Amino acid sequence: MDAIERVFETVAETAPDIRASLPGRREYETAENPTGDQMLAADRYADELLEERLLAIEGVASYASEEREGVVEGEGGDLHVACDPLDGSSNLKSNNVMGTIVAVYDDPLPASGRALRAAGYVLYGPITSMVTARDGTVAEAVVEDGERTVVDDDLTLPADPVVYGFGGRVPDWPDEFAAYAAEIEDELKLRYGGAMIGDVSQVLEYGGIFAYPALDSATNGKLRLQFEGNPIGYIVESAGGRSSDGHQSLLDVTPERLHQRVPVHVGNTELVDRLERALGE
Ligand code: F6P
């Protein structure tokens, strides 16, 4: 097993520990994470478990996460791992879905999405599942007791899209995005759950588009390039779809800072192409 597989295996093995910790860790801490979100005790716990276990893998040179300011260096190696330990953790209070995202780069962070070697996520839903992308193929597994059982070894976006989910308050959407959304509302069914991983999972299963767009009040949107935009762009593109920051693939966005934000749009190619035309140059 190579180091990338070990990373996936370690995330799968850690998923039951993260899941088991959730009921007792619903309270907010006084600290905020580096991008100003309120942190739950569960965010910190998941981050500490992943840091310790991923850095122990031979070949993993560094670990970074949404929950910590800087990059933690390991013993050396070629791989640089970025995690969102608990994506959508504000869903914990309302007991809705959440995820863990992992991105494996072969450049030190902050890195371009073109330096991704693999990416994946765990979805804590009614069942725990894990989606992994590598070498142009996406696989979906069910995780039980930390063991993965593959249920689909070639996950691809369905050709006929069904669902959409767009984040941000509607009055805060730029006019061009609002006009695009009005068209999409006519064609697809709204599914928005407040955790990117849950919403992207719906797009992968049913076809469609997920976006957390640029907002009038936040021109780079909300989601983070290293921990969310790049890995999810990589997964959706590997599944035959497209990703965009509004003008180009997320994988082509220039990395400037570890915690930089980026507008995220992912889904069926035709829908993302149309979005880019709607947003113009
Ligand atoms: O990590 C940020 C996040 O929790 C994403 O998982 C999700 O898509 C988004 O925030 C939800 O934001 P909002 O509460 O504004 O809908």
Side-chain angles (χ1 to χ4, degrees):
M1 184 183 302
D2 70 2
I4 293 176
E5 260 319 295
R6 283 286 303 143
V7 167
F8 285 154
E9 185 186 69
T10 300
V11 171
E13 285 169 359
T14 306
D17 298 326
I18 293 176
R19 185 158 196 143
S21 79
L22 298 177
R25 291 187 167 79
R26 291 172 93 174
E27 73 283 4
Y28 282 107
E29 301 200 325
T30 43
E32 291 181 341
N33 74 13
T35 25
D37 296 336
Q38 267 200 298
M39 269 173 90
L40 286 158
D43 290 303
R44 183 180 303 283
Y45 180 73
D47 179 42
E48 285 169 359
L49 276 185
L50 289 167
E51 180 215 343
E52 184 189 317
R53 295 181 186 177
L54 291 170
L55 278 180
I57 298 171
E58 199 179 322
V60 172
S62 71
Y63 171 85
S65 96
E66 212 172 280
E67 308 304 340
R68 55 181 74 221
E69 197 72 47
V71 174
V72 188
E73 305 291 340
E75 308 264 296
D78 298 332
L79 302 177
H80 302 268
V81 178
C83 285
D84 184 352
L86 263 188
D87 173 65
S89 57
S90 67
N91 273 359
L92 186 52
K93 283 220 167 263
S94 56
N95 191 23
N96 287 308
V97 300
M98 292 180 303
T100 294
I101 307 174
V102 60
V104 185
Y105 296 89
D106 60 12
D107 281 345
L109 302 176
S112 159
R114 296 292 170 201
L116 276 168
R117 298 271 305 280
Y121 66 78
V122 173
L123 178 59
Y124 308 101
I127 53 174
T128 305
S129 60
M130 185 166 179
V131 165
T132 51
R134 186 180 180 182
D135 301 327
T137 302
V138 182
E140 182 182 7
V142 167
V143 181
E144 278 174 312
D145 300 325
E147 294 280 327
R148 282 177 291 158
T149 306
V150 174
V151 291
D152 187 346
D153 63 7
D154 188 17
L155 183 65
T156 50
L157 277 166
D160 293 325
V162 176
V163 299
Y164 76 97
F166 297 154
R169 293 177 56 249
V170 176
D172 207 8
W173 287 347
D175 291 346
E176 296 78 8
F177 185 81
Y180 173 76
E183 280 180 26
I184 295 296
E185 281 163 17
D186 243 7
E187 299 169 25
L188 304 179
K189 184 164 66 173
L190 172 62
R191 289 285 178 91
Y192 187 78
M196 183 188 74
I197 282 309
D199 293 327
V200 168
S201 177
Q202 305 227 30
V203 168
L204 285 171
E205 293 294 334
Y206 302 120
I209 181 164
F210 165 81
Y212 208 110
L215 302 175
D216 286 336
S217 65
T219 51
N220 290 321
K222 178 177 185 188
L223 304 180
R224 292 78 169 170
L225 180 65
Q226 299 296 306
F227 311 105
E228 296 172 307
N230 273 341
I232 227 58
Y234 181 90
I235 292 167
V236 173
E237 291 193 17
S238 301
R242 275 209 60 205
S243 78
S244 177
D245 70 346
H247 306 286
Q248 61 184 338
S249 165
L250 288 168
L251 307 181
D252 287 322
V253 174
T254 305
E256 281 158 5
R257 290 180 314 283
L258 187 60
H259 293 283
Q260 99 193 55
R261 297 178 192 266
V262 68
V264 168
H265 318 81
V266 291
N268 284 69
T269 298
E270 179 264 330
L271 295 170
V272 178
D273 286 348
R274 263 171 68 192
L275 167 98
E276 287 184 342
R277 286 198 296 276
L279 296 189
E281 284 312 302

